[in-house]
Amino acid sequence: CSGAAVSTRKVGDFTITAVSDGLLTSPPEVVLGVSREDLVALTGVPPGQNLPLDVNCFLIRHNGKLMLSDAGSGNGMGPNLGKLPQNLRAIGVEPKDIDIILLTHLHPDHSLGLVDAEGKALYTRADIFVHEIEAAFWLDRTPRDDDSERVARNTKAQRAVTAPYRDRIRRITDGEVLPGIFAILRAGHTPGHTTWLLQSNGERLLMWGDIVHLAAVQVPRPEAALVFDVDPEMAKASRAAAFEWVARERVVVGGAHLGYPGFGTLERAGQGYAFRPEV
């Protein structure tokens, strides 16, 4: 998942390249609703060891525009993350060349990479597209005394990394926001968590952000939540709805945390689902 390894696929007139931001590791305690024994059995990760989560971003070429889905982790999340800029350069794309960034949501591993080590905008000409509900929660809301420590910390971080883009933030709602690009709100993981559907010439691909963090766990056990979910119950409902639609419509998905490169399909399997990564 490291280095400049890439995977590119076409969706009609779109060309989508998965670009790695690196590898996030989290302790098993981040997973809720699954016993430790089941977690070991499902993931194959021995007890007490951290769970690996690939962090994928997607470079989209369409109509002469260069777009990114999510901006990676930046400099603040350890040496194994923040690789997006160097991996973009390895395929001939400079951050300054990016026209548009489609954010699935405002969480550290998806947005802290908007700025460089000095806190300046890395994508100097890009417009940032983010759901208006997501922007309102993290950027506008008056912090509350009963906010969790995680929400309070992230609110502060998101205001810092989006500040250099203040005049270039485009707050969107559901529907077609650019030619062939549709925003679909799937709230829960965050209040404005958004999946992005690319549609062209009868082909479709859904960049579904954090509908799933651990495919080995949450595809067979969609009730499993993560501590990062702002509203775990709503996140479960969004996951169920996304699973049902993707499987029924046979839509290819691109996932931030579905292993690298993160493309695949979801199929009905007995009472549940199975994820089939594209090789």
Side-chain angles (χ1 to χ4, degrees), residues 102-131:
L102 307 169
L103 290 176
T104 58
H105 62 299
L106 290 166
H107 260 174
D109 52 321
H110 299 260
S111 63
L112 296 194
L114 288 169
V115 298
D116 61 18
E118 282 75 52
K120 296 191 175 79
L122 189 64
Y123 300 94
T124 48
R125 74 188 223 193
D127 285 338
I128 310 296
F129 284 60
V130 63
H131 202 288

Side-chain angles (χ1 to χ4, degrees), residues 15-21 55-61 66-73 84 88 98 100-105 109-111 114 123 127 129 181 193-198 205-210 254-256 263:
T15 303
I16 302 107
T17 302
V19 188
S20 174
D21 187 59
V55 179
N56 303 318
C57 302
F58 298 96
L59 177 71
I60 304 151
R61 294 178 170 92
L66 276 176
M67 297 174 266
L68 268 180
S69 175
D70 290 332
S73 312
L84 177 62
L88 284 172
I98 300 294
I100 290 164
I101 298 175
L102 307 169
L103 290 176
T104 58
H105 62 299
D109 52 321
H110 299 260
S111 63
L114 288 169
Y123 300 94
D127 285 338
F129 284 60
I181 302 179
H193 179 269
T194 302
T195 61
W196 293 96
L197 180 68
L198 307 182
L205 183 139
L206 182 71
M207 295 173 293
W208 75 2
D210 284 6
F263 296 125

Side-chain angles (χ1 to χ4, degrees), residues 243-264:
F243 280 12
E244 195 278 328
W245 184 76
V246 163
R248 172 167 43 85
E249 296 289 324
R250 299 182 177 172
V251 176
V252 176
V253 300
H257 307 300
L258 288 176
Y260 180 83
F263 296 125

Side-chain angles (χ1 to χ4, degrees), residues 19-247:
V19 188
S20 174
D21 187 59
L23 191 67
L24 176 67
T25 56
S26 291
E29 289 74 28
V30 301
V31 183
L32 308 174
V34 177
S35 71
R36 297 302 96 170
E37 295 77 19
D38 286 355
L39 193 60
V40 169
L42 289 166
T43 62
V45 176
Q49 288 193 19
N50 281 352
L51 302 167
L53 289 175
D54 279 281
V55 179
N56 303 318
C57 302
F58 298 96
L59 177 71
I60 304 151
R61 294 178 170 92
H62 188 241
N63 288 349
K65 296 280 190 190
L66 276 176
M67 297 174 266
L68 268 180
S69 175
D70 290 332
S73 312
N75 303 286
M77 295 185 67
N80 297 321
L81 286 163
K83 312 286 189 192
L84 177 62
Q86 73 189 53
N87 286 339
L88 284 172
R89 291 184 178 108
I91 56 172
V93 176
E94 290 291 330
K96 66 178 174 57
D97 299 333
I98 300 294
D99 298 295
I100 290 164
I101 298 175
L102 307 169
L103 290 176
T104 58
H105 62 299
L106 290 166
H107 260 174
D109 52 321
H110 299 260
S111 63
L112 296 194
L114 288 169
V115 298
D116 61 18
E118 282 75 52
K120 296 191 175 79
L122 189 64
Y123 300 94
T124 48
R125 74 188 223 193
D127 285 338
I128 310 296
F129 284 60
V130 63
H131 202 288
E132 64 180 15
I133 294 172
E134 187 74 351
F137 185 81
W138 298 112
L139 306 182
D140 303 342
R141 191 180 62 100
T142 302
R144 294 167 35 145
D145 291 341
D146 61 351
D147 283 345
S148 70
E149 194 269 335
R150 182 172 280 109
V151 164
R153 185 175 66 237
N154 193 52
T155 298
K156 187 176 177 184
Q158 299 305 332
R159 291 177 186 195
V161 299
T162 56
Y165 296 88
R166 191 169 289 115
D167 299 333
R168 291 186 275 138
I169 294 175
R170 305 284 179 262
R171 299 180 181 221
I172 56 91
T173 57
D174 278 28
E176 189 171 17
V177 299
L178 290 162
I181 302 179
F182 298 80
I184 305 167
L185 181 68
R186 295 287 189 195
H189 177 58
T190 61
H193 179 269
T194 302
T195 61
W196 293 96
L197 180 68
L198 307 182
Q199 193 162 294
S200 173
N201 297 344
E203 297 184 75
R204 292 182 291 186
L205 183 139
L206 182 71
M207 295 173 293
W208 75 2
D210 284 6
I211 288 292
V212 165
H213 289 84
L214 289 158
V217 178
Q218 289 176 293
V219 172
R221 303 279 291 276
E223 72 278 6
L226 272 85
V227 296
F228 312 120
D229 295 332
V230 173
D231 185 333
E233 290 306 314
M234 189 183 287
K236 289 178 205 174
S238 281
R239 183 158 42 254
F243 280 12
E244 195 278 328
W245 184 76
V246 163

